[in-house]
Amino acid sequence: DRRCALAIANVANQMSWVGISAEVVEVDDDPARAVDDIVALAHRYEARPSAATLDAFRAQARISFRLRILRVHDHLRAPDL
């Protein structure tokens, strides 16, 4: 079964979240490529990731999953005041 789901919550309002339904299309368990993937993401989301962060990523056992997004559904609402 290759189905998977992710939920990303708004930390300020846990009732506000986005869900993603997807299908795993590839599992890459090559450790070197998986570390390359996370290092690339670190550079994408942080202009200059620290050496300590990159070293920590390189020391971790990792697997990369490639997903085909099937559905995005939101449960967004203004925070209760």
Side-chain angles (χ1 to χ4, degrees), residues 1 7 13 19 33 38 41 43 45-47 50 59-61 65 74 79:
D1 187 358
N13 177 6
R33 282 195 304 263
I38 193 63
L41 285 171
H43 284 283
Y45 292 106
E46 190 175 330
S50 71
Q60 298 167 346
F65 294 87
D74 65 76

Side-chain angles (χ1 to χ4, degrees), residues 16-31:
S16 178
W17 58 281
V18 173
I20 299 171
S21 299
E23 175 183 47
V24 177
V25 294
E26 180 185 355
V27 177
D28 186 349
D29 60 0
D30 178 270

Side-chain angles (χ1 to χ4, degrees), residues 8-79:
I8 300 98
N10 177 345
V11 295
N13 177 6
Q14 295 288 312
M15 297 302 292
S16 178
W17 58 281
V18 173
I20 299 171
S21 299
E23 175 183 47
V24 177
V25 294
E26 180 185 355
V27 177
D28 186 349
D29 60 0
D30 178 270
R33 282 195 304 263
V35 167
D36 289 346
D37 287 344
I38 193 63
V39 168
L41 285 171
H43 284 283
R44 178 177 181 174
Y45 292 106
E46 190 175 330
R48 293 188 167 184
S50 71
T53 296
L54 297 176
D55 288 344
F57 289 152
R58 290 184 178 109
Q60 298 167 346
R62 293 196 163 265
I63 297 173
S64 291
F65 294 87
R66 308 281 189 268
L67 307 177
R68 175 181 297 118
I69 296 174
L70 303 173
R71 182 173 172 233
V72 176
H73 48 99
D74 65 76
H75 300 272
L76 304 174
R77 57 179 233 198

